[in-house]
Amino acid sequence: MTKTLKIGNVETKNNVVLAPMAGVCNPAFRLIAKEFGTGLVCAEMVSDKAILHGNARTMEMLFVDEREKPLSLQIFGGDRNSLVAAAKHVDKHTNADIIDINMGCPVPKVVSCDAGARWLLDPNKIYEMVSSVVDAVEKPVTVKMRIGWDHEHIYAVENAQAVERAGGKAVAVHGRTREQLYTGKADWDMIRQVKEAVNIPVIGNGDVATPEDAKRMLDTTGCDGVMIGRGALGNPWMLYRTVEYLTKGELPAEPDAAEKMRIAMLHLDRLIALKGEAVAVKDMRKHFAWYLKGLRGAAEVKNRIMEVTTRDQVVSILDGYVAALESGMLEPGALSVV
């Protein structure tokens, strides 16, 4: 049976969520995630100050393709007035469905301006900030947070309760502390404790690398949805396979190299449409490395792609790679570059 997520007045078709990853979750990748069946996609975080300054790149980041909906747009900031003003802008001037507040970002430049994970130390600040945003907007407001600042300061339950009291409609919990960054193991038990302490939907995040992990997280924590981040990098099939596994109990086969390269090129072409060829080809280098991960002979292909600057060159490399794989002729130097 398909489980949906109901976040305020927004209902998703399943409970698989794409995490808001900086530098990754632009419309090109989000749309692929949506086409692969993801119930809710989240945009990469945007600074409240950058929204208020009308920064051109930031305004582009607020673009939502109708085909991506329902979509959650994430903002961050440490000052109540500017966060509220930015939320109002997202509420009135974008077609996002949900406004998400970031309380998990561990990077120093975010934390140092009293934003992101800095809030994890103060449930009262969380209540104050979230309630101010909730009062100012019509769209449902959600929060993405970590379980705590470090192992001495884990206030996940109190923080989630503050979000609920403030009128937040859901909370996503990454089972790591700020101190852990992306190392160590995610604490799913804390996610379970949060789920038991609040009545709003709880979305679990952290260490979901396979569809089986997703099911185990849902079963062991009781959370309402599962958020997939790094597991989907260069691998939207992870999202599709998870949806199929959770809804039908079926585990579709992994894609072959040709299929992976086909979607990688679709990703590139959408990025070109958004950013132009020169920027898109450069931006896609990291994505191609992820799409190629684990494939035979991938190291050489990655090295070649790092050096080229046009779509035609990328096509030539990838076509040559797939042909070499399929003919069993994959030898060092078998890949040509125009």
Side-chain angles (χ1 to χ4, degrees):
M1 153 125 172
T2 305
K3 263 193 92 171
T4 61
L5 278 172
K6 191 142 189 356
I7 298 172
N9 57 356
V10 177
E11 189 156 3
T12 64
K13 62 181 181 177
N14 59 57
N15 59 350
V16 176
V17 182
L18 175 70
M21 292 175 283
V24 172
C25 291
N26 53 46
F29 185 64
R30 296 192 313 245
L31 187 53
I32 289 171
K34 183 62 79 171
E35 289 165 347
F36 275 63
T38 313
L40 176 67
V41 295
C42 302
E44 58 187 309
M45 67 177 188
V46 183
S47 149
D48 59 350
K49 298 272 199 300
I51 292 173
L52 300 183
H53 292 151
N55 176 292
R57 185 169 165 269
T58 300
M59 292 299 127
E60 282 169 19
M61 288 168 77
L62 299 180
F63 169 75
V64 178
D65 187 313
E66 277 296 314
R67 295 171 293 174
E68 302 177 69
K69 290 163 67 71
L71 175 131
S72 165
L73 215 154
Q74 189 181 72
I75 58 176
F76 74 92
D79 172 73
R80 181 170 65 173
N81 292 340
S82 60
L83 193 71
V84 166
K88 282 181 171 173
H89 180 90
V90 172
D91 194 47
K92 294 283 176 280
H93 302 291
T94 77
N95 55 349
D97 302 278
I98 294 164
I99 298 170
D100 188 60
I101 301 173
N102 179 296
M103 281 187 220
C105 183
V107 304
K109 73 171 184 184
V110 171
V111 173
S112 64
C113 66
D114 207 21
R118 173 64 76 186
W119 297 14
L120 300 172
L121 291 163
D122 188 354
N124 293 329
K125 166 138 186 180
I126 290 175
Y127 174 79
E128 176 200 324
M129 299 288 266
V130 176
S131 60
S132 300
V133 171
V134 168
D135 290 347
V137 300
E138 289 173 21
K139 297 183 196 288
V141 175
T142 60
V143 165
K144 177 159 195 269
M145 66 180 199
R146 286 174 175 249
I147 56 170
W149 180 258
D150 56 27
H151 283 294
E152 275 72 61
H153 302 87
I154 292 186
Y155 307 138
V157 168
E158 298 89 332
N159 290 342
Q161 287 171 331
V163 170
E164 180 174 36
R165 246 188 1 266
K169 298 300 185 195
V171 61
V173 183
H174 181 168
R176 285 183 173 82
T177 63
R178 186 263 170 181
E179 187 182 56
Q180 280 180 280
L181 302 177
Y182 297 96
T183 63
K185 207 164 174 289
D187 185 345
W188 288 6
D189 189 56
M190 277 310 307
I191 298 174
R192 179 185 60 76
Q193 289 181 43
V194 169
K195 172 59 193 163
E196 288 170 358
V198 296
N199 295 309
I200 54 175
V202 174
I203 300 162
N205 176 225
D207 291 351
V208 179
T210 66
E212 295 93 330
D213 289 341
K215 184 168 189 330
R216 209 172 70 252
M217 174 181 271
L218 290 165
D219 291 346
T220 58
T221 68
C223 63
D224 304 280
V226 60
M227 181 176 273
I228 297 169
R230 288 174 296 160
L233 294 175
N235 189 12
W237 297 271
M238 163 59 185
L239 300 163
Y240 167 70
R241 295 174 78 239
T242 300
V243 170
E244 292 294 296
Y245 189 60
L246 295 179
T247 56
K248 301 176 189 166
E250 294 167 6
L251 206 49
E254 293 272 15
D256 62 13
E259 171 65 3
K260 282 190 165 187
M261 296 310 103
R262 185 179 76 78
I263 297 299
M265 280 309 303
L266 172 66
H267 191 163
L268 172 61
D269 285 337
R270 284 184 175 159
L271 214 47
I272 289 171
L274 283 171
K275 300 184 172 192
E277 184 176 33
V279 175
V281 170
K282 197 159 170 267
D283 268 12
M284 271 299 290
R285 287 171 181 168
K286 63 187 177 195
H287 290 281
F288 281 123
W290 290 323
Y291 279 106
L292 286 157
K293 196 176 169 189
L295 295 177
R296 201 155 50 88
E300 190 183 343
V301 188
K302 283 183 217 169
N303 291 340
R304 299 275 176 91
I305 281 176
M306 292 298 164
E307 292 163 8
V308 300
T309 53
T310 70
R311 180 189 185 277
D312 286 350
Q313 289 171 314
V314 173
V315 170
S316 172
I317 292 168
L318 296 186
D319 284 354
Y321 171 61
V322 171
L325 268 182
E326 290 176 345
S327 66
M329 299 286 289
L330 192 63
E331 299 296 333
L335 310 166
S336 61
V337 181
V338 247

